[in-house]
Amino acid sequence: MECPFLQVYDFAGVLAPGESEMIQKALKDWQDSTSIEMAVIIDASLEDEDVFDYSLKIAQSWGIGDKSTNNGILLYISVGDKKIFMHIGPGLQGVIPDALGKRIIENQLKPAFREQKYGEGISAAILTLQQLAAGTYQGDANAIHGPPFGLFFILFLICFLS
């Protein structure tokens, strides 16, 4: 089953008027210019399902992204359960690994959601994903990437050689 035309589904009714359409337009424009397809699903509850398993079923059954490049992204949000999961297709793993998806959730989505600013959080996350995919991300590297790998390596060597 192919992903439906709409890419934003707010089943929980948390987006302010006009936000769903604005996010939909941003995602459609991104898809038209890059072939990267992203869907956002906001549910009221998982109803005792595991967030990873349930969102993976959706991502697979909808076929989000181009089949030949596996470049789809699903952002699944369960408002009542306070669970968020982002599935990033294998075709995007080189520029947006799962660890970066998790940091976007922790550093952009969760803080906005705590203030009930769902549309703002989702829009910020989409912008970051677009910039990462295009290789133009200019934000705070530590906020998304965390401490540099080299620092950990140096600390490891110091501890190991001591």
Side-chain angles (χ1 to χ4, degrees):
M1 180 165 112
E2 293 294 317
C3 181
F5 177 73
L6 288 178
Q7 293 159 298
V8 179
Y9 292 88
D10 181 13
F11 299 117
V14 296
L15 294 176
E19 284 181 327
S20 182
E21 292 81 11
M22 180 187 70
I23 295 168
Q24 173 66 35
K25 182 176 179 349
L27 293 177
K28 185 71 176 129
D29 290 348
W30 189 24
Q31 180 181 350
D32 290 346
S33 66
T34 65
S35 84
I36 296 172
E37 186 174 37
M38 179 172 175
V40 176
I41 298 174
I42 307 169
D43 266 343
S45 173
L46 281 162
E47 300 181 14
D48 296 324
E49 293 256 7
D50 176 73
V51 68
F52 174 83
D53 293 337
Y54 186 68
S55 57
L56 181 61
K57 283 185 229 176
I58 293 171
Q60 290 175 336
S61 68
W62 282 14
I64 299 168
D66 184 88
K67 287 181 183 181
S68 63
T69 57
N70 289 319
N71 63 347
I73 301 172
L74 171 65
L75 175 59
Y76 180 84
I77 302 156
S78 176
V79 176
D81 302 304
K82 297 182 179 174
K83 301 277 184 177
I84 306 168
F85 201 87
M86 188 181 310
H87 288 280
I88 300 167
L92 290 171
Q93 286 290 317
V95 291
I96 311 172
D98 288 336
L100 284 182
K102 181 155 179 55
R103 288 181 196 234
I104 290 168
I105 290 169
E106 294 298 323
N107 298 331
Q108 292 182 320
L109 292 168
K110 285 185 177 182
F113 291 2
R114 279 187 210 104
E115 297 179 18
Q116 309 229 336
K117 295 179 180 179
Y118 294 94
E120 288 180 28
I122 293 167
S123 295
I126 291 169
L127 180 60
T128 300
L129 289 165
Q130 290 172 332
Q131 291 171 341
L132 287 167
T136 61
Y137 181 74
Q138 297 292 318
D140 180 3
N142 288 332
I144 298 297
H145 298 287
F149 173 76
L151 177 64
F152 290 119
F153 183 72
I154 291 169
L155 291 174
F156 173 78
L157 283 178
I158 290 170
C159 291
F160 184 75
L161 296 175
S162 299

